[in-house]
Amino acid sequence: MSKKTFNLPDLGEGLPDATIVEWYVKEGDTIKLDENLVSMETAKAVVDVPSPVSGKVLKLSGASGDVIITGHMLAEFEMDMSMPQRAEGQDTGHHHGGGHSVGSQDPMPDDRVVASTEGGAIKAEGKPQPEDAGANASAAANAEREDSGTVVGAMQSSDAVRSEAAVSSGGVKAVPAVRATARKLKVDISRVRGTGPDGVVTMADVKAAAADPSLLGPASGGGASRASEPSPHARTGAVETRGVSGEGSSRSTLSQSGKPMRTQPPSVTASGQPEQLKGVRRNMARVMADAHAQVVPTTLVDDADLHAWRGKQDITARLIRAIVHACREVPALNAWFDGKALTRTLHPHVDIGIAVDTEDGLFVPALRNADMLDGKGVRAAIKRLRSQVEDRSIPSSELSGYTISLSNFGMFAGRYATPVVVPPCVAIVGAGKLSHDVVAVIGGIEVHRRMPISLTFDHRACTGGEAARFLAALLDDLSQPN
């Protein structure tokens, strides 16, 4: 029998790492070729990684919550040649950045990369950081630039759409995204009654069980699901957090007599544990840093007067219509800009990236052909995109390729902002919270409902005049009665 080291493959997301959600096996187990080995979370989805061989599991790299770098060891097997094996050179469909097939390069036995809890950095266990770590990061960055998808803005990623099949693990049929949601909501998925085809547990089933525990039934398939069992790391963290919070709760600015007192600097008793960014938030951090380094942002602000609106209006649909109108009047902001080649691409169509805030981080799905949709079409499309974002079923192709962005932050709070322009786009519109303002009119004053509008644009690609004319066209459309 021979040993086989399996490296984390490129999961088709164009990102340099992925986070372990759940192992389907443990060390010492026997697994068959193409059976699910581990569930991994990337910036866009939770996907199952199949076993590349049949045999005994010798070593698993990392626990639930650990970050594994693409191309580094994920698992080690002792191959059983009496069981089905993949033919030498047979394509698995996954490739590392260097173009090699999965597992074609076996790293050193100590080449395990996980998220460190010391300072929140990623480190290679068992040896100092080699010089080629920088090269690996550089290669990953190049891979990101050369692809074409995004979660936040234009961070590059594959356009391939991955369909997830509901697989049975522990007697429960559910796609990886549903299992991950069950873990986050602390729902024992083995006790959830599946309402999907063939008893598949759906996202709605898990959320309903989280809201009403009485819907949970007896555990199926041999005990509690691993999805609801915290990892040793999680249990340790919980104990530490309880201890820290107990210490932090004793802090006060008052003495025992209730009089104000001078306290020590907060750093003396400050508490908290570093949290490794994962998945969507990890990608968001990369994208924002990249945008900050590249773009020359400039922001214009003004207020849209909605006093002439008649009846109830769909604010988001009106914003979309106004952006489309402004793009037709001033195409310079419905464009992409290549800062290296100094080329600008004006788009004849309008695909608007809609910022969607979630607990996992920021998604920006694309509302395609916004210039062809009426109000009902816009509302239906946005509802579909939000639903797909919430259950993490949105394909990568829907998270890339938009030509201009919209952030409707005013639904929460805030009047004006400086939204981040993410290349290759050159502009983003921010809509603030509606208010009733006193405005001067001929012969007196009136109270009008107004919407604060912020327009941030890349000054490398647009002139101030073009941006001002775009904003004027947008405000003009918003001021129309309907």
Side-chain angles (χ1 to χ4, degrees):
M1 296 186 181
S2 60
K3 292 184 178 180
K4 175 69 174 180
T5 299
F6 178 47
N7 302 335
L8 176 65
D10 180 353
L11 298 178
E13 302 292 334
L15 298 176
D17 52 50
T19 304
I20 297 173
V21 174
E22 175 186 12
W23 287 105
Y24 294 126
V25 296
K26 60 182 182 296
E27 294 179 358
D29 285 353
T30 298
I31 190 171
K32 294 181 181 179
L33 175 69
D34 289 333
E35 283 187 345
N36 287 323
L37 173 67
V38 63
S39 176
M40 305 290 294
E41 181 178 13
T42 67
K44 301 178 185 66
V46 180
V47 297
D48 281 337
V49 177
S51 173
V53 299
S54 297
K56 181 180 180 181
V57 179
L58 297 179
K59 185 177 180 182
L60 300 177
S61 185
S64 177
D66 285 342
V67 176
I68 306 296
I69 293 179
T70 300
H72 287 78
M73 192 188 97
L74 186 60
E76 187 178 73
F77 304 90
E78 185 176 11
M79 297 175 63
D80 186 344
M81 303 312 295
S82 66
M83 300 172 68
Q85 303 290 348
R86 182 170 286 109
E88 187 68 25
Q90 183 177 350
D91 189 7
T92 64
H94 295 292
H95 297 278
H96 295 303
H100 301 284
S101 61
V102 171
S104 60
Q105 292 180 323
D106 293 349
M108 297 299 292
D110 58 348
D111 198 11
R112 171 185 169 206
V113 179
V114 301
S116 167
T117 57
E118 301 173 3
I122 294 180
K123 64 178 182 180
E125 292 188 349
K127 61 183 179 181
Q129 291 287 1
E131 292 182 357
D132 62 353
N136 182 59
S138 176
N142 289 336
E144 289 173 346
R145 285 191 294 270
E146 292 170 1
D147 230 329
S148 57
T150 183
V151 169
V152 184
M155 178 62 73
Q156 308 306 322
S157 169
S158 171
D159 279 339
V161 179
R162 173 177 284 101
S163 61
E164 296 178 330
V167 294
S168 178
S169 175
V172 179
K173 288 184 178 180
V175 298
V178 172
R179 295 178 185 276
T181 299
R183 178 175 290 100
K184 290 179 180 179
L185 298 178
K186 294 181 172 56
V187 172
D188 184 351
I189 198 171
S190 68
R191 298 176 58 193
V192 178
R193 185 175 66 87
T195 61
D198 299 324
V200 171
V201 177
T202 66
M203 191 70 70
D205 296 335
V206 170
K207 291 181 178 180
D212 185 3
S214 65
L215 297 177
L216 293 172
S220 62
S225 168
R226 286 189 296 265
S228 62
E229 180 182 347
S231 67
H233 297 274
R235 287 194 292 269
T236 302
V239 172
E240 292 174 352
T241 300
R242 285 196 294 270
V244 168
S245 62
E247 175 188 354
S249 61
S250 64
R251 295 181 66 191
S252 172
T253 58
L254 300 179
S255 66
Q256 294 295 329
S257 62
K259 295 181 179 180
M261 59 177 286
R262 181 167 182 166
T263 60
Q264 292 178 311
S267 60
V268 175
T269 57
S271 61
Q273 296 293 324
E275 176 187 359
Q276 183 68 51
L277 294 183
K278 302 165 187 174
V280 180
R281 288 189 182 276
R282 192 176 184 86
N283 188 51
M284 181 177 69
R286 292 191 182 104
V287 172
M288 294 303 170
D290 187 58
H292 179 73
Q294 292 187 37
V295 175
V296 181
T298 305
T299 301
L300 295 177
V301 299
D302 209 328
D303 295 296
D305 195 319
L306 314 182
H307 188 64
W309 281 17
R310 297 174 183 169
K312 187 175 181 180
Q313 299 277 335
D314 186 326
I315 294 175
T316 301
R318 288 296 304 264
L319 281 167
I320 297 295
R321 192 187 80 176
I323 292 174
V324 168
H325 172 72
C327 287
R328 288 171 175 164
E329 294 293 317
V330 188
L333 275 75
N334 186 48
W336 287 349
F337 181 72
D338 185 334
K340 291 185 176 180
L342 294 180
T343 58
R344 184 179 67 165
T345 303
L346 302 183
H347 300 290
H349 56 281
V350 182
D351 290 349
I352 302 178
I354 309 293
V356 178
D357 179 65
T358 73
E359 291 184 359
D360 293 328
L362 182 64
F363 286 79
V364 186
L367 178 64
R368 305 292 182 192
N369 300 312
D371 51 324
M372 304 293 290
L373 300 175
D374 59 10
K376 291 183 179 179
V378 167
R379 177 48 54 190
I382 290 178
K383 183 177 180 180
R384 173 181 59 82
L385 292 173
R386 287 187 182 276
S387 176
Q388 290 180 328
V389 165
E390 288 175 358
D391 61 21
R392 298 294 292 273
S393 64
I394 189 164
S396 300
S397 58
E398 297 281 16
L399 295 166
S400 63
Y402 46 83
T403 60
I404 190 170
S405 306
L406 168 64
S407 176
N408 190 7
F409 60 85
M411 66 177 62
F412 303 114
R415 288 181 63 84
Y416 306 105
T418 54
V420 177
V421 177
V422 182
C425 289
V426 302
I428 179 172
V429 174
K433 186 177 181 179
L434 274 70
S435 62
H436 287 84
D437 300 331
V438 175
V439 298
V441 296
I442 298 176
I445 59 174
E446 294 180 352
V447 176
H448 288 193
R449 187 164 64 146
R450 302 203 298 176
M451 181 191 300
I453 298 293
S454 304
L455 172 65
T456 299
F457 62 99
D458 188 342
H459 217 323
R460 300 175 303 167
C462 311
T463 68
E466 288 170 332
R469 288 190 291 275
F470 180 95
L471 181 57
L474 186 148
L475 297 176
D476 181 66
D477 188 84
L478 284 174
S479 68
Q480 300 302 312
N482 47 44

